[in-house]
């Protein structure tokens, strides 16, 4: 007698996978970041920081991965041109 377990295992895996995709996801926190207009974003994976440039306020805001502001560089002059 031959037992066919592969189709049953595949069906079970598909069912579990679709249940995981259907689960809603929510943000852990709601943080406000002091930028007026985000022009460019750079992610530093090594230090787990995100750099957000804001040409309207002439600044770069540095946050950690949770959105907490860890630094700000202000007084930056210059213009941003589009290509």
């Amino acid at each position: 007698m031959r037992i066919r377990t592969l189709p049953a295992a595949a069906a079970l895996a598909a069912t579990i996978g679709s249940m995981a995709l259907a689960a809603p996801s929510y943000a852990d926190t709601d943080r406000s970041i002091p930028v007026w207009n985000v022009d460019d974003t750079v992610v530093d994976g090594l230090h787990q920081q995100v750099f957000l440039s804001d040409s309207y306020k002439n600044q770069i805001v540095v946050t950690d991965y949770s959105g907490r502001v860890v630094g700000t560089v202000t007084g930056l002059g210059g213009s941003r041109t589009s290509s």
Side-chain angles (χ1 to χ4, degrees), residues 63-74:
T63 69
D64 60 11
Y65 277 2
S66 68
R68 214 175 7 249
V69 176
V70 295
T72 304
V73 181
T74 58

Side-chain angles (χ1 to χ4, degrees), residues 26-34 42-45 47-52 61-71:
Y26 301 99
D28 291 338
T29 58
D30 186 20
R31 294 189 195 270
S32 154
I33 300 173
V42 175
V43 178
D44 179 2
H47 300 103
Q48 297 185 353
Q49 294 179 334
V50 180
F51 296 81
L52 306 166
V61 176
V62 184
T63 69
D64 60 11
Y65 277 2
S66 68
R68 214 175 7 249
V69 176
V70 295

